[in-house]
């Protein structure tokens, strides 16, 4: 009653930093969040613990190999790859996100789905598609040989091919994050800039783009870590990044100590990338301070730029989606002509969808306490907890899988070769996707909304369930979609940790392509794209129904 009277006379209850900005109440809820976050981070750090155990037994000669010129060269090449792929992904994602959210691009909802679908293409499939289509003796060369007499195209192997493959199939990470950020922006600041005589282009650079900094930073981090941890594309395109060198070291020697040291070096590199993202993110606030619901931003008229914009989106979608579909369609046609058996695909689809759904839900649930702590309780410890979740995303999937095989077989044998251990590997691998998406949305939710609910007598848990969760729903949905899609195509962890007889679409594709049966690989690959299309259509539809107030 006293709280209601205070609100009537315009007096705000005194707040403390330990109370989530919602008035005085017990700190049991943040304490519970810290316990949950600590347990989650402990699970995320299991692979690093495995690497440290391997590295402790390394001799001086092994450590000296880290300073070998070959190791330094691999480090520089990997850093250059991650930097180039991230820059190219930004150059693609920011314009596409703005065109599909804020502009009158023809069929923009369709382009929204098509531009995100390349996220579902596994890099080992995408890399082979690029080689088959654009290689020196690929399908493009065969088409040009007749009319132009071209006998050989330039090499696509190495750095250029790796950059192209990773950019085409990883930019949707950043696109989803920027789209979510654009939909949550309050158009009032942009309108104020225009009223001061600023042009649309100047307003975008000075007002809109700075507000998208958290979304661009979190999405760029995912792209950079994806480039650092990818194995399929760099292997097929013969580019010696850290992941390929680590895998070859694992394969070539029974002593995996050197591979563990290389993986630890990759983790240190990842830590530096995460710290750069934190500094890029800054401490600015990105939510509205005024009362009332946010209005949807007006749709910008492209005018004469409509057709160049349409051509840009068409070019991106063609190389990232249409070209893989054409190549896969060619394989499928040849496979059907040869009489391939499509029966096992149904079971593989069921297994993939079930495991991916479990991993997506688990990852989003794990991301919530970490995200709330880092946003609502900023501090060194909570920031460190958030940054620690990114360690697994930069590790090669084979390292995570071998680490969990080691711990499962030696410490928790009842979990060895079970679905639970496989889902844990997925969460360790892809939790940063859920954290990044949820954090971008929570940054745009003003604490005053939660404070208002708290002043009406609701508990922290009630505020969390009835106010915070609905407001960050776009980010949670984006996180669910990203984790689901990337889990569907995850290969190394699935190969090493899946229960006996548990066959997924990813393992079906890999088994067929490894044996050279590309007709058999085409059917599960196309089915993977179809499932992704349905998922992304649902994501775009849910975006249209949700706004951050």
């Amino acid at each position: 009653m006293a709280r209601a009277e205070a609100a009537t006379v315009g007096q705000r209850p005194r707040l403390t930093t330990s109370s989530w900005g919602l008035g005085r109440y017990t700190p049991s809820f943040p304490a519970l969040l810290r316990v949950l976050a600590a347990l989650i981070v402990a699970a995320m750090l299991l692979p690093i613990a495995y690497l440290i155990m391997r590295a402790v037994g390394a001799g001086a000669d092994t450590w000296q190999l880290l300073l070998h010129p070959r190791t330094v060269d691999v480090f520089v090449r990997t850093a250059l790859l991650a930097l180039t792929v991230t820059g190219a992904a930004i150059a693609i994602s920011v314009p596409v996100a703005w065109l599909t959210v804020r502009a009158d691009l023809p069929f923009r909802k369709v382009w929204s789905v098509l531009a995100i679908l390349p996220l579902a293409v596994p890099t080992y499939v995408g890399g082979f598609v690029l080689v088959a289509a654009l290689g020196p003796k690929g399908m493009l060369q065969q088409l040009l040989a007749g009319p132009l007499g071209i006998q050989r195209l330039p090499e696509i192997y190495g750095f250029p091919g790796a950059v192209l493959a990773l950019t085409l199939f990883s930019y949707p990470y950043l696109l989803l994050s920027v789209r979510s950020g654009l939909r949550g922006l309050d158009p009032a600041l942009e309108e104020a800039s225009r009223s001061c005589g600023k042009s649309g282009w100047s307003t975008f650079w000075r007002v809109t783009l700075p507000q998208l900094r958290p979304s661009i930073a979190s999405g760029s981090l995912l792209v950079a870590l994806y480039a650092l941890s990818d194995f399929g594309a760099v292997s097929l395109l013969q580019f010696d990044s850290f992941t390929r060198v680590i895998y070859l070291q694992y394969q070539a020697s029974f002593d995996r100590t050197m591979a563990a040291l290389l993986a630890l070096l990759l983790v240190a590199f990842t830590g530096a990338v995460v710290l750069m993202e934190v500094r890029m993110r800054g401490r600015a606030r990105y939510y509205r301070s005024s009362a009332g619901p946010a209005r949807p931003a007006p749709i910008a008229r492209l005018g004469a730029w409509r057709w160049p914009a349409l051509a840009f989106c068409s070019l991106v979608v063609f190389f990232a989606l249409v070209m893989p579909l054409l190549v896969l369609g060619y394989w499928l046609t040849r496979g059907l002509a040869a009489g391939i058996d499509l029966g096992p695909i149904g079971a593989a689809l069921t297994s993939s969808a079930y495991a991916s759904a479990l991993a997506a839900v688990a990852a989003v649930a794990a991301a919530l306490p970490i995200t709330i702590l880092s946003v609502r309780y900023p501090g060194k410890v909570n920031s460190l907890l958030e940054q620690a979740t990114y360690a697994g995303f930069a590790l090669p999937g084979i390292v995570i899988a071998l680490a969990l095989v080691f711990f499962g077989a030696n410490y928790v044998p009842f979990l060895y070769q079970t679905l639970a251990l496989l889902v844990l590997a997925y969460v360790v691998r892809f939790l940063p996707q859920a954290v990044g998406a949820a954090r971008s949305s929570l940054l745009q939710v003003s604490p005053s909304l939660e404070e208002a609910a708290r002043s009406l007598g609701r508990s922290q848990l009630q505020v969390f369930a009835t106010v915070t969760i609905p407001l960050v729903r776009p980010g949670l949905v984006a996180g669910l979609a990203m984790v689901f899609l990337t889990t569907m195509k995850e290969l190394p962890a699935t190969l090493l940790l899946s229960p006996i007889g548990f066959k997924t679409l990813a393992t079906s594709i890999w088994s067929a392509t490894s044996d050279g049966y590309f007709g058999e690989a085409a059917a599960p690959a196309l089915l993977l794209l179809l499932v992704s299309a349905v998922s992304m259509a649902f994501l775009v539809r849910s975006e249209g129904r949700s706004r951050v107030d």
Side-chain angles (χ1 to χ4, degrees), residues 122 124-125 331 344 348 489-492 494-496 498 501-522 524-525:
Y124 46 88
V125 172
W331 290 345
K489 62 180 184 176
E490 168 61 24
L491 180 66
T494 309
L495 287 174
L496 292 181
S498 59
F502 190 83
K503 198 171 184 66
T504 66
L505 291 176
T507 57
S508 299
I509 296 169
W510 178 259
S511 298
T513 52
S514 298
D515 296 333
Y517 298 128
F518 305 121
E520 292 184 6

